[in-house]
C-alpha cells in the first residue's frame, strides 16, 4: 500500500471516484488521507477512545469506497508458516467519512491498525467517525 501522511490531500485513486455520483454530501469537499501507514514509517500511537474500533469496523461495511481487485496485507502482522493470504489482516477498499468541511479517506485496514497496533488517528477524524450518522 502506498504511504500518505495523515491529513494530506487524497490522491491515491481519485481518478476512479466521482464525488458527484455519491450525492450532494461530497460535492466540493476536500478529501484528506488518514491511516495510509507503512511498515517503514512511524505513526501516532495511543489508546483508542471508547467505541472507535467498533465504529471503524462497522464502517468497513457501511462506508466502503474504492474497492480494488488486489489487496494489501498488514505490514506488521507476519504470515504464519503454511498460512495463506486469507489468514492475515488484509484490505482491498477504503472507507470515507465526512468531517467538518472535509471528508476523510482511509484504508479499510485502519480498524486493524487502531486495534492491533495502537495507531491513533488524528483527533478530527476520530470525532467524525464517532459522530457519524451512518451516511456514506
Amino acid at each position: 500500500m502506498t504511504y500518505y501522511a495523515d491529513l494530506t490531500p487524497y490522491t491515491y485513486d481519485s481518478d476512479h471516484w466521482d464525488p458527484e455520483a455519491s450525492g450532494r454530501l461530497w460535492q466540493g469537499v476536500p478529501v484528506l488521507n488518514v491511516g495510509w501507514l507503512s511498515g517503514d514509517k512511524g505513526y501516532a500511537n495511543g489508546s483508542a477512545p471508547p467505541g472507535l474500533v467498533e465504529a471503524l469496523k462497522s464502517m468497513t461495511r457501511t462506508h466502503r469506497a474504492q474497492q480494488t481487485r488486489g489487496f494489501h496485507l498488514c505490514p506488521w502482522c507476519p504470515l504464519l508458516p503454511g498460512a495463506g493470504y486469507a489468514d492475515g489482516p488484509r484490505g482491498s477498499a477504503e472507507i470515507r467519512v465526512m468531517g467538518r468541511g472535509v471528508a476523510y479517506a482511509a484504508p479499510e485496514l485502519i480498524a486493524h491498525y487502531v486495534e492491533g497496533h495502537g495507531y491513533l488517528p488524528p483527533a478530527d477524524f476520530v470525532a467524525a467517525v464517532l459522530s457519524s450518522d451512518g451516511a456514506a
Side-chain angles (χ1 to χ4, degrees):
M1 180 168 68
T2 303
Y3 168 81
Y4 294 102
D6 283 346
L7 305 180
T8 58
Y10 175 85
T11 59
Y12 178 67
D13 199 16
S14 58
D15 57 333
H16 292 110
W17 184 56
D18 181 3
E20 292 181 16
S22 300
R24 299 178 68 71
L25 181 68
W26 301 96
Q27 291 179 5
V29 176
V31 181
L32 302 178
N33 295 306
V34 172
W36 295 89
L37 307 181
S38 173
D40 61 352
K41 304 272 187 187
Y43 56 87
N45 284 288
S47 297
L52 179 62
V53 170
E54 294 77 15
L56 289 169
K57 286 180 180 180
S58 176
M59 286 180 169
T60 64
R61 294 181 302 279
T62 61
H63 289 60
R64 284 179 77 84
Q66 305 300 81
Q67 178 67 51
T68 63
R69 290 185 176 181
F71 56 87
H72 172 74
L73 299 172
C74 174
W76 298 285
C77 289
L79 287 178
L80 300 174
Y85 286 116
D87 296 326
R90 65 183 181 155
S92 63
E94 301 172 10
I95 63 169
R96 298 288 167 91
V97 183
M98 281 300 297
R100 290 189 168 166
V102 299
Y104 300 99
E108 70 179 326
L109 273 175
I110 192 169
H112 169 73
Y113 295 157
V114 171
E115 182 176 43
H117 301 291
Y119 168 60
L120 186 60
D124 288 346
F125 173 79
V126 171
V129 168
L130 293 176
S131 67
S132 177
D133 62 2

